[in-house]
C-alpha cells in the first residue's frame, strides 16, 4: 500500500521540530518501506502550494533515501525498475523548475544516481540536458547547468582510467559544442542587457555556472572541442576577468558580488590550464598575468574580495611554478614590486581579521590553523611567496629579509607590523608543507629559526602585557617549527607555553592547547615519542583539571562542545600518560561523564565528541589495572541512557568502549548489565544502521566468550548465526562476519555448534565461488586453521572434512588445494602464521583423513608447514602486536559511517599464547604424535616426502 502524500508532508514538517523530530524520523523510516515512497517525495517537492520548508525537507529526505536505497554494492537496483525509470524521467525537469535551495539537494541526488548509472545505464541524460538549452532562458539554462555540474564535478578528484575517459568522451561528443554555443550566447545576452540590472545578474549566474562546468570538462584533459576554439575561449575569459559594471557592484563589504564570483571562477580555470595545458595555452598566458597583476594591485581590502584575491594569487603561484613563465620573477626589482603590491598588502592584518579574532575566535582559529583558509588572502600570498622562494631561494630570502627587518623595527612600536614580519619569516623559513604530524621538517638554510625566536618572539610568549595576537604568533611559531627545536629547548619552552593556557583570551589559551597537543603527538623517525610521560607527569593532573575548566566554561550543549582543540589536548595528555592516568582517573571520569550527559542532548560537533570518546577510551584502556568493575559501574548509567534515547551519533563509540571493557577481562561471568544488553543486540533495527555494525559486531563477539553457556541454554546460537549470515551477504561487512564467526567457534561447544556447521560452510563456499576478494580468502583460511587447530575442543581437521563432505563429498580437496594451501603463506600477522603452523602440525600428527584418505595432501601440508617455519612467526607479548599507536585524526571522514576509537583498539587475539617458540612446539608435538601412533609419522615422512623434505623434517621428528 502506497504512502499517503499529506501524511508524509506532515512527517517532513515534524522533522524540523526539535521536540517532534525523532518520532517523525522513526515514522518516516516505516514509510520508506512502502511502495513508491521516492516518487511520493518528488510529488511533495513539486507541489508549489506547500510551504517551502516542507518541499526542502522532502528534497533532503529524497536525497538521503536515494543514497541508501537506490543500488547495492554491486550496482543492482534496490528499487523496482519502473520506479527507477520514473525517477530518471522526472528528476531533471523537476530540478530545473525548483528554487535554488531545493536544486542543491536534488542536484546531490542526481550525482548519487549518476555514480551508479551514468553513463552506461543513463545514456540519454546528456542528450536530455542539451535538448533543454535555450539561447535566452537563463532559468532553464541555470537548472540544466546545475545538473551538469553536479554530475561532471565528480571527475575532478578521480585518477585517470579507461572507464573514466570513456565516460568523459561520451559527454563531450554530445555536450561540448552546444555548451560552447551557450557560452557565446550568454556572452551576447550580457552585452545586450548591460543596462538591465536584473537580467544582467541572471545571465552572470549562468556565466558562473558555465565557467564551473568548463573546469569540470577540462579537469582530466583539455577537450578537443575546446582546443579548436582556444583563442575564442581565451578572449572571452579575459573579457570577464577585466569586466566592470557598476550595476552589479554590491554595497555589502563582506558579501562577494556575482562579478567577483565569476572572476574567481576564471582564475581557477587559468590555474588549471597553466598547470596542465601550458604547451597549448601558454601563448595566451601573458595577457592574463598582466590582468591578474593589475587586479591584485587595485583591489581593496574588503572581505568580499577575499576569494577572488586568493584565486588570483593561486593563478600567479601556478605561473611561478611553471618553468616557462617563472623566469620573469628572477629579478630583484620585480620581486620588490611583487612584495610591495601583492604580498605585503595581503599578508598584513586587516580590521576584519582583528574583528574575527575578537568576535568569532573559534572561527579565526579554524581558518588560521587547520588549513581551511586556503581561500584566505594571507595563506594565498604566503603560498605565492613560498613558490617564488623555492625557485630563487637566495634572491627571495634577501628581498624578503629586508622587509622582515623593516617590519620588525616598526614592530617595536606597532604590534601589527611585527605580526606582518613574523608571517613573512614563516613563509621564507619553511621549505615544503607544514605537516600535521611534524610541522615544518625542512627549513631554509639561510635563516636560523631558533635564533629568530629567541631574539624577536620568545618575550611575547611570557610577557604579561603582550598583545593577544602577538602571543598567538609566538605560540604558532613554536607549533610550526616544533620539529626544529631540541629536547632541551622544548623543556625550556614548555612551562611558558603551558602558562598561556591560563590566559583570559580564548584564542591564546586555545592555541596553547593546540601546541601542547601537537608537541605530545610528535615522534622521531623511529616512532619514539619526543615528549613523553616523564616530561608531563608532574603537571598532568593540574593540566587536565585546567583544560576541563576551560571546556566547561559554558554549559549549553552547543557552546560546551564548540572547542574541539581543548578536548583533543585532554585526549592526548591521557594517551601520553598511559597507565599513569590511574592516579587521577576518578577526577577525569567525573568531568567526562558530566560532559557526556550534557552534549548527548544535542551532538553538534563531531570532532569534539570524537576526541571526547577517545579520552573515555583512554581511561578505560589505561585506567583499568584494578579491574573493570568500577569503570563499568561509572559508565553504565550514562551509556545506557544514550542507548535508550537512541543518540545515533554516540552509539558506535559507546559499543566500542563497552567491548573494550569486556576484552580487558575476557573470562568470568557476565555482569547483569551486560546480560540485559544481549537481547537488544539481537534486534534487527540496531544492525540496519551501517555505522553501528563494526562496533556492534565487536561488542557481540566480546560478549559471546563470557556468556557462552547462557547463549546455548537460551537458544541464541541460531539468531547470532543469522546475524553472521546477514553480515556475510554484504561485501563491506564480510570481515565483521568472520569476527563474529571466530568468536562463536572459540566459545560455543561443538555439540551446540555442529547442527549449524554445514550451513556455515555452504554460505562460505558460495562466497568463495563468486570472485571473492583476497581479504575474504585470507579470512576463510584463518577460519579453517582455527577449526583445524582446535582438536582439544572436539573440532580439528577431521571434523572440518566431515562437515565439508555433508555439503559435497570430496569438495575438501578442491577447497584445500585451491584456497587453504596457496593462501596460508600469504597470512601476514605473526599470530595467524603461528595458527597455520599449529593447524598443519595437528593435521599431520592426528588427522585420520590426512593419514589415509589424503596421503598426497599430507605431503602438501608438510611442505606448507615447512615453508612457514623457514621464517618462523614470533608473536610479541605485551606491547607488541597490541600496542596502541594512535593515528592522527585530521583526515577522518566524520559523519560518513563508523569511526574507530584508537584508544580502544582491539588487541590481536593469540589463540595459543602458551606456545612461544613454534619450532620447539612443532618438534614436541610431532614427536609425541609419532609415539602415540606407533611411529606412523616417521613412516609417512619416509614414504611420502622427497629427500629434501625428509632432511627438513629430521629436526622435528626425533
Amino acid at each position: 500500500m502506497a504512502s499517503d502524500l499529506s501524511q508524509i508532508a506532515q512527517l517532513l514538517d515534524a522533522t524540523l521540530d526539535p521536540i517532534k523530530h525523532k518520532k517523525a524520523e522513526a515514522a518516516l523510516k516505516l514509510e520508506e518501506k512502502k511502495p513508491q515512497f521516492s516518487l511520493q517525495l518528488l510529488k511533495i517537492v513539486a507541489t508549489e502550494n506547500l510551504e517551502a520548508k516542507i518541499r526542502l525537507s522532502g528534497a533532503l529526505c529524497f536525497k538521503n533515501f536515494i543514497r541508501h536505497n537506490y543500488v547495492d554494492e554491486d550496482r543492482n537496483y534496490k528499487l523496482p525498475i519502473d520506479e527507477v525509470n520514473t525517477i530518471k524521467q522526472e528528476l531533471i525537469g523537476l530540478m530545473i523548475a525548483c528554487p535554488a535551495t531545493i536544486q542543491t539537494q536534488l542536484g546531490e541526488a542526481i550525482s548519487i544516481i549518476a555514480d551508479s548509472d551514468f553513463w552506461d545505464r543513463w545514456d540519454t541524460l546528456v542528450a536530455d540536458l542539451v535538448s533543454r538549452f535555450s539561447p535566452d532562458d537563463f532559468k532553464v539554462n541555470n537548472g540544466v547547468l546545475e545538473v551538469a555540474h553536479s554530475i561532471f564535478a565528480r571527475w575532478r578528484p578521480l585518477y585517470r582510467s579507461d572507464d573514466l575517459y570513456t565516460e568523459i568522451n561520451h559527454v563531450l561528443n554530445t555536450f561540448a559544442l552546444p555548451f560552447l554555443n551557450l557560452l557565446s550566447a550568454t556572452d551576447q545576452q550580457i552585452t545586450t542587457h548591460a543596462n538591465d540590472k536584473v537580467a544582467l545578474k541572471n545571465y552572470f549566474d549562468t556565466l558562473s555556472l558555465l565557467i564551473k562546468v568548463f573546469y569540470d570538462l577540462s579537469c582530466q584533459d583539455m577537450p578537443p572541442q575546446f582546443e579548436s576554439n582556444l583563442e575564442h575561449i581565451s578572449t572571452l575569459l579575459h573579457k570577464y576577468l577585466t569586466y566592470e559594471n557598476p550595476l552589479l557592484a554590491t554595497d555589502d563589504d563582506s558579501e562577494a558580488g556575482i562579478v567577483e564570483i565569476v572572476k574567481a571562477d576564471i582564475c581557477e580555470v587559468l590555474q588549471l590550464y597553466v598547470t596542465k595545458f601550458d604547451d597549448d595555452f601558454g601563448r595566451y598566458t601573458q595577457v592574463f598575468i598582466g590582468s591578474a597583476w593589475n587586479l591584485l594591485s587595485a583591489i581593496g581590502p574588503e572581505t568580499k574580495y577575499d576569494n577572488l584575491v586568493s584565486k588570483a594569487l593561486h593563478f600567479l603561484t601556478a605561473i611561478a611554478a611553471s618553468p616557462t613563465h617563472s623566469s620573469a620573477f628572477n629579478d630583484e626589482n620585480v620581486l620588490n614590486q611583487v612584495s610591495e603590491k601583492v604580498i605585503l598588502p595581503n599578508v598584513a592584518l586587516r580590521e576584519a581579521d582583528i574583528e574575527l579574532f575578537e568576535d568569532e575566535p573559534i572561527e579565526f582559529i579554524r581558518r588560521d590553523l587547520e588549513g581551511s583558509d586556503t581561500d584566505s588572502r594571507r595563506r594565498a600570498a604566503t603560498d605565492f611567496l613560498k613558490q617564488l622562494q623555492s625557485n630563487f631561494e637566495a634572491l627571495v630570502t634577501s628581498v624578503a629579509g629586508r622587509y622582515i627587518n623593516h617590519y620588525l623595527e616598526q614592530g617595536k612600536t606597532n604590534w601589527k607590523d611585527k605580526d606582518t614580519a613574523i608571517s613573512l619569516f614563516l613563509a621564507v623559513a619553511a621549505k615544503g608543507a607544514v605537516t600535521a604530524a611534524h610541522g615544518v621538517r625542512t627549513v631554509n638554510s639561510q635563516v636560523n629559526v631558533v635564533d629568530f625566536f629567541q631574539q624577536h618572539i620568545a618575550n611575547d610568549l611570557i610577557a604579561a602585557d603582550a598583545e593577544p595576537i602577538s602571543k598567538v604568533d609566538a605560540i604558532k611559531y613554536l607549533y610550526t617549527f616544533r620539529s626544529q627545536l631540541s629536547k632541551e629547548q622544548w623543556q625550556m619552552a614548555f612551562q611558558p607555553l603551558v602558562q598561556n593556557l591560563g590566559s583570559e583570551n580564548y584564542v591564546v589559551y586555545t592555541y596553547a592547547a593546540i601546541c601542547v597537543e601537537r608537541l605530545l603527538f610528535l615522534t622521531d623517525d623511529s616512532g619514539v615519542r619526543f615528549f613523553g610521560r616523564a616530561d608531563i607527569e608532574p603537571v598532568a593532573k593540574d593540566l587536565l583539571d585546567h583544560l576541563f575548566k576551560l571546556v566547561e566554561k559554558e554549559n549549553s550543549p552547543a557552546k560546551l562542545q564548540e572547542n574541539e582543540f581543548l578536548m583533543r589536548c585532554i585526549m592526548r595528555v591521557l594517551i601520553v600518560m598511559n597507565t599513569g592516568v590511574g592516579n587521577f582517573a576518578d577526577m577525569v571520569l567525573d568531568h567526562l561523564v558530566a560532559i557526556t550527559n550534557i552534549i548527548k542532548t544535542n551532538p553538534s560537533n563531531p570532532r569534539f565528541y570524537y576526541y571526547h570518546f577517545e579520552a573515555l577510551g583512554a581511561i578505560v584502556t589505561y585506567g583499568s589495572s584494578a579491574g573493570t568493575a568500577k569503570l563499568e559501574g561509572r559508565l553504565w548509567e550514562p551509556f545506557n541512557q544514550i542507548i535508550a534515547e537512541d543518540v545515533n551519533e554516540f552509539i558506535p563509540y559507546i559499543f566500542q568502549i563497552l567491548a573494550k571493557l569486556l576484552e580487558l577481562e575476557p573470562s568470568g561471568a557476565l555482569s547483569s548489565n551486560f546480560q540485559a544488553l544481549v537481547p537488544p543486540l539481537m534486534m534487527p533495527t540496531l544492525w540496519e544502521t551501517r555505522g553501528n555494525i563494526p562496533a556492534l559486531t565487536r561488542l557481540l563477539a566480546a560478549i559471546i566468550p563470557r556468556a557462552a553457556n547462557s547463549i546455548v541454554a537460551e537458544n541464541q546460537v541460531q539468531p547470532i548465526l543469522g546475524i553472521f549470515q546477514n553480515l556475510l551477504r554484504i561485501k563491506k561487512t564480510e570481515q565483521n562476519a568472520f569476527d563474529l564467526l571466530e568468536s562463536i567457534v572459540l566459545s560455543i561447544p561443538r555439540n551446540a555448534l555442529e547442527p549449524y556447521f554445514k550451513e556455515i560452510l555452504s554460505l562460505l563456499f558460495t562466497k568463495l565461488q563468486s570472485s571473492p576478494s583476497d581479504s575474504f580468502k585470507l579470512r576463510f583460511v584463518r577460519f579453517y586453521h582455527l577449526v583445524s587447530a582446535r582438536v582439544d575442543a572436539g573440532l580439528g581437521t577431521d571434523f572440518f572434512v566431515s562437515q565439508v563432505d555433508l555439503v559435497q563429498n570430496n569438495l575438501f580437496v578442491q577447497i584445500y588445494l585451491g584456497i587453504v594451501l596457496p593462501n596460508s603463506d600469504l597470512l601476514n600477522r605473526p599470530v595467524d602464521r603461528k595458527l597455520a603452523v599449529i593447524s598443519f602440525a595437528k593435521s599431520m600428527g592426528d588427522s585420520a583423513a590426512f593419514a589415509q584418505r589424503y596421503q598426497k595432501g599430507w605431503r602438501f601440508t608438510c611442505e606448507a608447514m615447512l615453508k612457514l617455519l623457514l621464517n618462523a612467526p614470533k608473536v610479541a607479548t605485551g606491547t607488541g602486536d597490541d600496542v596502541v599507536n594512535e593515528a592522527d585524526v585530521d583526515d577522518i571522514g566524520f559523519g560518513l559511517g563508523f569511526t574507530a576509537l584508537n584508544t580502544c583498539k582491539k588487541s590481536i587475539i593469540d589463540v595459543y599464547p602458551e606456545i612461544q617458540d613454534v619450532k620447539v612446539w612443532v618438534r614436541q608435538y610431532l614427536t609425541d604424535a609419532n609415539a602415540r601412533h606407533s611411529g606412523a609419522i616417521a613412516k609417512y615422512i619416509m614414504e611420502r616426502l622427497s629427500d629434501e623434505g625428509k632432511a627438513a623434517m629430521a629436526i622435528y621428528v626425533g
Side-chain angles (χ1 to χ4, degrees):
M1 179 180 167
S3 304
D4 176 70
L5 208 64
S6 61
Q7 182 183 350
I8 296 175
Q10 288 171 9
L11 290 173
L12 290 169
D13 192 21
T15 61
L16 306 174
D17 186 325
I19 297 170
K20 300 177 183 176
H21 76 99
K22 283 203 169 179
K23 191 174 178 181
E25 285 165 4
L28 277 173
K29 282 282 183 192
L30 296 176
E31 293 293 328
E32 280 183 11
K33 295 177 169 53
K34 295 180 181 177
Q36 299 197 328
F37 176 72
S38 64
L39 301 183
Q40 297 286 63
L41 289 174
L42 290 182
K43 286 178 185 175
I44 288 169
V45 173
T47 304
E48 293 184 2
N49 59 3
L50 281 174
E51 286 184 77
K53 64 175 184 175
I54 296 175
R55 295 176 68 195
L56 179 58
S57 179
L60 181 62
C61 186
F62 175 80
K63 177 188 75 175
N64 291 331
F65 177 82
I66 291 297
R67 190 189 305 282
H68 298 295
N69 298 282
Y70 190 69
V71 289
D72 63 18
E73 290 176 329
D74 299 316
R75 290 181 71 208
N76 299 312
Y77 290 122
K78 294 165 76 173
L79 298 174
I81 191 64
D82 59 336
E83 189 169 345
V84 167
N85 290 334
T86 305
I87 288 171
K88 291 182 193 175
Q89 289 163 13
E90 300 297 329
L91 195 50
I92 306 301
L94 175 58
M95 179 177 166
I96 290 168
C98 281
T101 51
I102 293 175
Q103 279 187 346
T104 302
Q105 299 302 327
L106 294 182
E108 289 179 26
I110 290 169
S111 183
I112 294 164
I113 294 170
D115 274 335
S116 158
D117 287 8
F118 189 73
W119 62 282
D120 56 335
R121 298 198 301 196
W122 201 1
D123 56 0
T124 58
L125 173 61
V126 180
D128 183 14
L129 293 176
V130 168
S131 71
R132 296 172 188 267
F133 278 151
S134 164
D136 55 8
D137 190 333
F138 53 77
K139 188 175 190 305
V140 169
N141 289 334
N142 291 354
V144 172
L145 292 168
E146 285 280 10
V147 174
H149 180 47
S150 71
I151 296 168
F152 306 158
R154 295 157 43 252
W155 302 333
R156 294 192 182 196
L158 300 181
Y159 291 107
R160 179 171 187 156
S161 70
D162 289 344
D163 287 346
L164 175 61
Y165 272 60
T166 300
E167 179 179 321
I168 293 172
N169 286 329
H170 164 79
V171 170
L172 293 174
N173 289 338
T174 306
F175 192 85
L177 290 178
F179 169 83
L180 289 175
N181 291 337
L182 180 60
L183 184 61
S184 296
T186 303
D187 171 44
Q188 291 168 11
Q189 292 292 345
I190 288 171
T191 303
T192 302
H193 294 88
N195 298 315
D196 182 343
K197 182 175 181 178
V198 174
L200 194 61
K201 166 67 170 65
N202 288 318
Y203 285 118
F204 253 87
D205 285 338
T206 307
L207 181 62
S208 178
L209 284 165
L210 284 162
I211 303 298
K212 287 180 173 69
V213 173
F214 183 89
Y215 188 109
D216 297 335
L217 296 171
S218 306
C219 66
Q220 292 288 332
D221 204 351
M222 191 194 303
Q225 298 88 341
F226 292 3
E227 192 173 350
S228 303
N229 291 276
L230 202 52
E231 184 173 357
H232 170 67
I233 292 168
S234 297
T235 303
L236 192 145
L237 291 176
H238 186 257
K239 172 182 176 179
Y240 288 103
L241 182 63
T242 57
Y243 185 90
E244 295 294 338
N245 190 325
L247 285 179
L248 294 179
T250 56
D251 297 329
D252 188 340
D253 285 348
S254 62
E255 185 180 353
I258 188 62
V259 173
E260 288 78 51
I261 291 170
V262 165
K263 288 181 179 182
D265 293 335
I266 291 170
C267 286
E268 205 165 2
V269 166
L270 295 175
Q271 181 190 356
L272 174 73
Y273 268 61
V274 166
T275 304
K276 296 191 75 167
F277 316 124
D278 198 45
D279 287 348
D280 296 305
F281 188 66
R283 61 183 182 274
Y284 304 110
T285 303
Q286 202 59 44
V287 67
F288 287 107
I289 296 173
S291 296
W293 175 265
N294 293 335
L295 186 153
L296 287 166
S297 301
I299 211 159
E302 294 83 3
T303 56
K304 68 179 177 181
Y305 299 122
D306 285 2
N307 188 48
L308 171 55
V309 169
S310 72
K311 298 296 186 194
L313 283 166
H314 293 331
F315 164 56
L316 289 184
T317 303
I319 292 293
S322 164
T324 309
H325 306 294
S326 61
S327 57
F329 295 105
N330 191 16
D331 179 279
E332 187 171 346
N333 291 326
V334 171
L335 286 173
N336 280 327
Q337 287 187 56
V338 167
S339 298
E340 290 183 11
K341 293 193 174 182
V342 175
I343 304 291
L344 290 169
N346 291 304
V347 167
L349 275 174
R350 298 168 300 166
E351 282 306 311
D353 301 319
I354 297 170
E355 285 175 13
L356 190 69
F357 182 97
E358 293 171 348
D359 299 338
E360 297 182 62
I362 193 67
E363 185 61 24
F364 178 92
I365 294 162
R366 287 177 184 149
R367 286 188 188 182
D368 188 51
L369 202 65
E370 289 191 82
S372 62
D373 69 333
T374 49
D375 290 331
S376 79
R377 293 182 184 225
R378 176 174 280 197
R379 179 64 58 87
T382 54
D383 284 349
F384 182 33
L385 184 56
K386 283 179 182 179
Q387 181 59 56
L388 292 170
Q389 191 250 6
S390 71
N391 294 346
F392 320 111
E393 185 172 287
L395 181 58
V396 171
T397 303
S398 171
V399 170
R402 290 199 296 274
Y403 289 103
I404 290 167
N405 291 331
H406 168 75
Y407 280 99
L408 282 173
E409 187 63 33
Q410 296 286 103
K412 291 176 180 177
T413 55
N414 183 342
W415 62 268
K416 293 180 187 176
D417 286 341
K418 186 174 180 181
D419 173 83
T420 299
I422 293 170
S423 293
L424 287 173
F425 185 85
L426 286 169
V428 296
K431 294 180 75 171
V434 181
T435 67
H438 293 92
V440 170
R441 302 209 69 168
T442 309
V443 295
N444 183 343
S445 60
Q446 299 183 48
V447 300
N448 188 315
V449 297
V450 175
D451 284 356
F452 189 87
F453 177 77
Q454 290 171 339
Q455 291 173 26
H456 304 295
I457 297 176
N459 189 59
D460 289 332
L461 190 67
I462 56 177
D465 60 346
E467 281 288 331
I469 288 183
S470 297
K471 282 194 169 293
V472 167
D473 283 342
I475 296 166
K476 187 178 177 184
Y477 192 96
L478 286 173
Y479 163 86
T480 303
F481 294 113
R482 57 188 178 275
S483 293
Q484 304 303 316
L485 272 65
S486 67
K487 180 69 177 279
E488 292 72 25
Q489 288 166 334
W490 260 119
Q491 285 171 331
M492 292 174 61
F494 186 67
Q495 193 56 39
L497 174 63
V498 169
Q499 285 172 352
N500 279 285
L501 286 167
S503 170
E504 291 296 313
N505 185 277
Y506 187 106
V507 182
V508 172
Y509 69 66
T510 302
Y511 264 76
I514 290 164
C515 192
V516 168
E517 189 275 328
R518 288 290 84 186
L519 171 62
L520 297 182
F521 183 76
L522 191 64
T523 61
D524 63 20
D525 290 336
S526 62
V528 175
R529 210 182 292 282
F530 182 77
F531 222 69
R533 174 175 167 178
D535 298 298
I536 65 165
E537 194 150 19
V539 299
K541 184 174 184 294
D542 292 339
L543 180 59
L544 287 165
D545 189 53
H546 185 69
L547 285 165
F548 277 120
K549 285 175 181 170
L550 292 175
V551 170
E552 294 164 346
K553 271 187 171 183
E554 303 275 356
N555 59 12
S556 70
K559 289 297 288 182
L560 187 142
Q561 62 192 302
E562 172 186 79
N563 194 329
E564 67 266 22
F565 304 105
L566 297 176
M567 185 53 73
R568 189 184 194 188
C569 190
I570 289 168
M571 172 199 78
R572 191 69 59 202
V573 171
L574 294 172
I575 288 171
V576 172
M577 282 301 297
N578 202 276
T579 53
V581 302
N583 298 324
F584 40 78
D586 285 340
M587 178 271 285
V588 174
L589 269 176
D590 287 341
H591 286 291
L592 291 176
V593 169
I595 290 168
T596 304
N597 289 334
I598 294 171
I599 64 175
K600 71 175 182 180
T601 60
N602 180 24
S604 57
N605 185 349
R607 288 194 177 276
F608 180 94
Y609 57 73
Y610 165 74
Y611 298 131
H612 170 74
F613 283 111
E614 284 281 22
L616 271 169
I619 288 292
V620 167
T621 299
Y622 307 133
S624 57
S625 56
T628 59
K630 184 179 177 183
L631 284 167
E632 182 186 325
R634 291 295 308 275
L635 295 174
W636 192 265
E637 183 56 33
F639 281 12
N640 199 38
Q641 286 180 9
I642 286 166
I643 296 168
E645 293 168 17
D646 198 22
V647 185
N648 291 323
E649 296 88 343
F650 289 1
I651 283 177
Y653 296 129
I654 297 298
F655 286 159
Q656 288 179 76
I657 294 172
L658 291 177
K660 188 67 178 180
L661 278 170
L662 291 173
E663 290 160 2
L664 289 166
E665 291 186 8
S667 59
L670 202 62
S671 71
S672 57
N673 288 329
F674 278 106
Q675 285 175 7
L677 192 58
V678 174
L681 292 185
M682 306 290 186
M683 299 296 290
T685 48
L686 270 178
W687 296 86
E688 286 174 2
T689 303
R690 185 67 62 85
N692 286 347
I693 287 176
L696 262 175
T697 306
R698 182 177 169 188
L699 178 55
L700 190 52
I703 286 172
I704 290 169
R706 295 190 43 183
N709 292 336
S710 62
I711 285 170
V712 173
E714 295 172 23
N715 297 317
Q716 290 174 325
V717 174
Q718 190 170 1
I720 292 173
L721 287 171
I723 293 170
F724 156 76
Q725 183 176 356
N726 287 332
L727 294 176
L728 191 68
R729 189 180 297 126
I730 300 168
K731 192 169 186 177
K732 283 185 179 175
T733 57
E734 61 191 20
Q735 297 294 313
N736 304 117
F738 276 110
D739 291 341
L740 200 55
L741 183 59
E742 288 183 9
S743 183
I744 293 166
V745 168
L746 284 168
S747 311
I748 302 299
R750 170 178 164 165
N751 61 349
L753 185 60
E754 189 169 359
Y756 308 106
F757 209 85
K758 174 194 169 188
E759 182 60 28
I760 291 170
L761 292 178
S762 295
L763 293 169
L764 294 173
F765 295 161
T766 300
K767 289 280 283 190
L768 284 171
Q769 289 172 348
S770 55
S771 303
S773 64
D774 290 342
S775 60
F776 182 90
K777 287 188 281 191
L778 289 173
R779 284 306 294 267
F780 173 81
V781 169
R782 175 182 157 82
F783 168 69
Y784 166 77
H785 288 308
L786 188 63
V787 176
S788 168
R790 287 182 54 74
V791 178
D792 53 329
L795 302 176
T797 309
D798 289 344
F799 171 76
F800 197 95
V801 171
S802 68
Q803 293 296 312
V804 175
D805 280 343
L806 294 176
V807 178
Q808 181 183 320
N809 194 44
N810 270 337
L811 178 61
F812 180 77
V813 174
Q814 184 180 333
I815 296 295
Y816 196 68
L817 297 181
I819 303 292
V820 174
L821 288 178
N823 286 284
S824 291
D825 193 48
L826 300 178
L827 294 168
N828 283 322
R829 301 189 308 177
V831 288
D832 295 341
R833 294 174 72 83
K834 181 173 89 169
L835 180 63
V837 169
I838 295 167
S839 158
F840 286 145
K842 289 186 177 182
S843 296
M844 292 167 61
D846 284 303
S847 166
F850 277 99
Q852 303 301 328
R853 185 175 173 185
Y854 303 126
Q855 295 185 20
K856 283 185 180 178
W858 194 95
R859 187 189 88 207
F860 298 148
T861 301
C862 182
E863 290 167 350
M865 182 186 76
L866 289 170
K867 190 175 182 184
L868 285 168
L869 286 172
L870 282 175
N871 181 20
K874 291 188 175 73
V875 178
T877 56
T879 57
D881 279 2
D882 57 354
V883 66
V884 173
N885 181 23
E886 76 283 353
D888 186 46
V889 296
D890 282 343
D891 295 325
I892 284 178
F894 294 106
L896 301 179
F898 174 75
T899 302
L901 292 175
N902 291 295
T903 53
C904 282
K905 208 171 274 184
K906 185 178 181 180
S907 299
I908 294 172
I909 296 173
D910 184 355
V911 183
Y912 291 97
E914 69 277 9
I915 299 174
Q916 292 297 308
D917 188 325
V918 74
K919 285 187 172 183
V920 171
W921 178 87
V922 168
R923 176 179 172 79
Q924 186 64 54
Y925 185 86
L926 290 180
T927 300
D928 291 349
N930 190 49
R932 279 197 306 276
H933 299 294
S934 307
I937 310 305
K939 182 184 173 199
Y940 298 155
I941 289 172
M942 297 308 294
E943 293 176 352
R944 300 177 183 179
L945 297 185
S946 65
D947 290 343
E948 187 182 354
K950 291 171 189 173
M953 283 300 294
I955 64 170
Y956 294 111
V957 180

